[in-house]
Amino acid sequence: MKSSILKIHPADTILVALRNLQAGETVEYNGDPYTVKENIPAKHKFYMRDEPAGTEVIMYGVLVGKTEKNVHSGNRVSTENLKHASSAYDFRNRKYSWAPPDVSRFRDAHFYGYHRYDGRVGTANYWLFIPTVFCENRNLNVIREVLQDELGYSVTEKYKSFTRELIIAQQQGKKLTDPDMTSFESTRARSRVFKNVDGIRFLNHDGGCGGIRQDSAVLGKLLAAYANHPNVGGITILSLGCQHLQSSELLDDIKRTAPGFDKPVFVFEQQQSQSEEQLIQESIRKTFEGLVQINKLERKQATLDKLCIGVKCGGSDGFSGITANPAVGYCADLLVALGGKVLLAEFPELCGVEQEMVDRSVNETIARKFIRLMKDYEASALRAGSGFDMNPSPGNIRDGLITDAMKSAGAAKKAGNAPVVDVLDYTEPALKPGLSLVCTPGNDVEATTGQAASGATLILFTTGLGTPTGNPVCPTIKISSNTALARRMPDIIDIDTGVLIEGEKTLEEMGEEILLYCIRAASGEITPKAVLLNQDDFIPWKRGVSL
């Protein structure tokens, strides 16, 4: 791919700068010269032709906006001269054909995971703490600090040691910037007590009471999906007692979600306890007993069709849709060809490529469910005084993603080219092998929260700007779209796809490399950075108002 500029699709009317271009510089693409009339930073785009105001602008082969004023060849595409526009969509009864990639290299591949009662296989074995209401968050925080510190799961020991050294230095009258201050490398975390328990996770949230009952009902389904997640071995539930989401209702949701549910579950209700101290002590004691129980589980061999991978992007830049997302998309196609599941979420970031998703749907029922969910979602955003067109963040725009349709066209590349076998509303489980669309917000954490609820056991998360996020029960693998980010934030990036810009690897090679990383991460051979940092972000999607 090494070049100065790139045309992504033959129908495109704008070109992408792969490096900084200076005003007056002439660059060539397919034998045609283009003189840029202003500085064009890498990742940004410029117009190929002189166009009047109101002209449709095409990128990735789809409509991504219309010019707001007259533009000239070599002008930089910006929010001043381009506004969001997207094409209408509907069911067209198109027959979609797909040529799966060659997966001979992976035919005999396998991973080592935790086999559950229902045939699913987890990539981790976590103990999960669930509050039925936000009132229990404080108790969860106390328990989190104790159990993670004492059982060897904490990542804060180095910061605690550093703070202690600062206290000593202050008491001794030293400058706090003295070079002999203790470094993080000199601290040691405690070793794990339970070698087959990968962590203890906590689903702090702000729901369960105070809003509309529908939000509490959806929260119950979400928490039940997490309790039944294949990466979860056991659950402790903390309840206040008087909240909308009753612990008995949550247990009913779990039974409805999983009739054969066989994991250890402990429930504690604060308003029935003698004291907060007694509640916390007893929940720690019973959880410890549960940890002893699930620690007896061991990883066993599983075929790759048991993997369920969520694909997500956040902190996207102008290279995301050119490097990281298409590479993840090729990995997704490999997994689908092997019989696995792939989940694409964040519906606001499918705005502009809806027709493609409709045409890729395997039948009319699935296509029309997608259409209904998309239109209902957009209508609710409009009622709130917003719209999908307002999705791009300031960071997205600064790095070349000018409209939502432009951002979406690149984001959709994470789904590869496989047919859409199912469309899932929020908290619905993924049951069919292949590519499924999951209705979630574009918000990074709300989207990953929803993907895990639908059953993702790994998440591939692409970023161009850097995003320190993860999920409590689903190991999240961070993939950078550019090498500069991978070098600047090596503590959060697992895989760098910036080499595609330099032409050092092909898209297919990069996709295979990502799948090989997934296999090792699913087996516990390597630990993604988000897991090492305990980046356990969890935000339920609230569709209603607070009362």
Side-chain angles (χ1 to χ4, degrees):
M1 189 185 289
K2 192 168 185 179
S3 178
S4 296
I5 55 177
L6 174 68
K7 186 178 185 181
I8 298 173
H9 187 277
D12 288 358
T13 59
I14 54 179
L15 295 171
V16 184
L18 300 181
R19 61 171 176 82
N20 293 335
L21 303 179
Q22 303 302 314
E25 183 177 352
T26 298
V27 289
E28 188 174 292
Y29 188 82
N30 277 355
D32 295 322
Y34 298 92
T35 300
V36 296
K37 293 185 169 52
E38 53 192 303
N39 293 339
I40 313 290
K43 308 180 188 179
H44 282 258
K45 295 85 186 170
F46 62 89
Y47 294 99
M48 297 175 65
R49 298 184 292 270
D50 294 349
E51 304 282 11
T55 301
E56 292 188 347
V57 174
I58 307 300
M59 185 178 178
Y60 295 99
V62 299
L63 175 64
V64 298
K66 291 184 179 181
T67 54
E68 280 283 284
K69 55 186 179 181
N70 295 345
V71 297
H72 301 282
S73 174
N75 279 159
R76 174 178 166 180
V77 177
S78 68
T79 54
E80 287 73 34
N81 58 42
L82 182 69
K83 295 302 177 185
H84 170 84
S86 60
S87 299
Y89 58 96
D90 202 352
F91 180 69
R92 304 192 295 191
N93 201 25
R94 295 286 181 89
K95 185 173 178 59
Y96 182 72
S97 64
W98 177 58
D102 178 13
V103 292
S104 55
R105 178 183 181 186
F106 297 95
R107 282 293 180 199
D108 299 322
H110 57 267
F111 70 102
Y112 289 89
Y114 295 95
H115 292 247
R116 304 301 183 186
Y117 72 94
D118 57 2
R120 293 185 297 169
V121 180
T123 62
N125 189 31
Y126 295 123
W127 189 276
L128 187 64
F129 273 80
I130 298 176
T132 59
V133 65
F134 58 83
C135 305
E136 292 302 311
N137 283 342
R138 186 262 176 191
N139 290 333
L140 253 69
N141 291 339
V142 172
I143 296 169
R144 181 205 306 264
E145 181 179 351
V146 172
L147 290 183
Q148 289 193 339
D149 281 357
E150 297 302 319
L151 299 182
Y153 300 108
S154 175
V155 297
T156 61
E157 182 57 38
K158 60 184 178 182
Y159 301 112
K160 292 178 181 178
S161 297
F162 185 65
T163 303
R164 287 193 290 268
E165 290 297 324
L166 290 174
I167 293 171
I168 293 172
Q170 188 270 336
Q171 292 172 341
Q172 295 176 347
K174 294 181 179 179
K175 289 183 179 180
L176 300 186
T177 55
D178 281 352
D180 62 345
M181 292 294 296
T182 300
S183 67
F184 286 166
E185 288 72 19
S186 67
T187 64
R188 293 290 181 271
R190 302 187 188 200
S191 59
R192 280 191 192 175
V193 174
F194 299 107
K195 69 181 183 70
N196 291 329
V197 179
D198 295 296
I200 304 173
R201 301 294 191 244
F202 299 80
L203 300 186
N204 293 54
H205 60 79
D206 63 358
C209 201
I212 59 175
R213 294 298 177 94
Q214 291 92 327
D215 274 340
S216 290
V218 172
L219 178 63
K221 292 178 182 178
L222 176 67
L223 298 177
Y226 271 67
N228 189 45
H229 195 280
N231 289 357
V232 173
I235 304 98
T236 299
I237 298 171
L238 292 190
S239 168
L240 179 60
C242 59
Q243 71 282 342
H244 284 169
L245 179 56
Q246 293 286 292
S247 56
S248 59
E249 294 173 344
L250 175 55
L251 292 172
D252 288 342
D253 281 331
I254 292 173
K255 291 175 184 176
R256 278 192 292 269
T257 301
F261 190 84
D262 66 348
K263 301 173 186 178
V265 179
F266 306 122
V267 181
F268 300 93
E269 196 159 288
Q270 186 163 7
Q271 289 172 347
Q272 300 299 318
S273 299
Q274 298 174 4
S275 65
E276 182 180 287
E277 181 179 297
Q278 188 263 343
L279 172 80
I280 292 176
Q281 281 188 336
E282 187 64 11
S283 62
I284 290 175
R285 185 182 69 82
K286 291 298 293 183
T287 297
F288 195 91
E289 292 177 5
L291 289 167
V292 172
Q293 181 179 341
I294 71 168
N295 189 53
K296 296 175 184 177
L297 300 172
E298 295 184 351
R299 292 182 181 270
K300 296 179 181 178
Q301 185 171 308
T303 50
L304 298 190
D305 61 300
K306 297 296 185 181
L307 284 177
C308 182
I309 293 181
V311 293
K312 173 72 179 81
C313 56
S316 299
D317 70 349
F319 283 166
S320 291
I322 298 171
T323 58
N325 291 346
V328 165
Y330 189 78
C331 172
D333 282 346
L334 289 171
L335 186 60
V336 169
L338 290 163
K341 299 185 183 79
V342 174
L343 308 181
L344 175 69
E346 51 189 345
F347 272 28
E349 295 186 18
L350 294 179
C351 176
V353 293
E354 298 98 335
Q355 192 64 61
E356 177 191 342
M357 296 302 163
V358 170
D359 292 345
R360 285 168 60 177
S361 298
V362 295
N363 59 48
E364 183 175 355
T365 300
I366 290 168
R368 292 206 179 279
K369 183 177 181 180
F370 172 68
I371 292 170
R372 174 178 59 80
L373 289 171
M374 281 294 292
K375 290 185 181 296
D376 287 351
Y377 194 164
E378 185 169 24
S380 67
L382 291 171
R383 285 194 300 271
S386 186
F388 287 170
D389 61 300
M390 300 178 73
N391 176 269
S393 70
N396 295 149
I397 294 169
R398 280 196 302 270
D399 266 50
L401 299 178
I402 304 302
T403 71
D404 187 51
M406 184 184 292
K407 180 180 179 182
S408 297
K413 295 300 179 183
K414 302 189 303 293
N417 298 294
V420 176
V421 299
D422 209 354
V423 174
L424 311 173
D425 201 353
Y426 189 65
T427 76
E428 285 187 331
L431 302 176
K432 300 176 183 179
L435 171 66
S436 294
L437 308 181
V438 185
C439 185
T440 74
N443 173 287
D444 293 349
V445 179
E446 286 178 315
T448 53
T449 296
Q451 283 181 317
S454 289
T457 52
L458 290 174
I459 291 175
L460 293 174
F461 193 113
T462 68
T463 183
L465 305 177
T467 304
T469 192
N471 183 266
V473 303
C474 189
T476 301
I477 299 164
K478 297 286 182 48
I479 302 171
S480 68
S481 70
N482 61 89
T483 300
L485 170 63
R487 291 173 177 168
R488 188 172 67 252
M489 302 181 77
D491 57 328
I492 73 164
I493 297 299
D494 299 293
I495 300 172
D496 173 27
T497 63
V499 293
L500 293 173
I501 294 292
E502 300 301 321
E504 296 174 7
K505 291 182 181 178
T506 66
L507 189 66
E508 293 76 15
E509 289 171 338
M510 200 74 245
E512 290 186 353
E513 182 178 315
I514 293 171
L515 182 55
L516 288 170
Y517 189 100
C518 287
I519 294 170
R520 295 184 64 201
S523 301
E525 292 179 16
I526 50 177
T527 305
K529 306 290 180 61
V531 178
L532 289 173
L533 294 171
N534 276 357
Q535 292 173 342
D536 300 336
D537 302 305
F538 178 79
I539 301 179
W541 184 16
K542 294 177 68 174
R543 291 177 169 178
V545 296
S546 292
L547 298 177

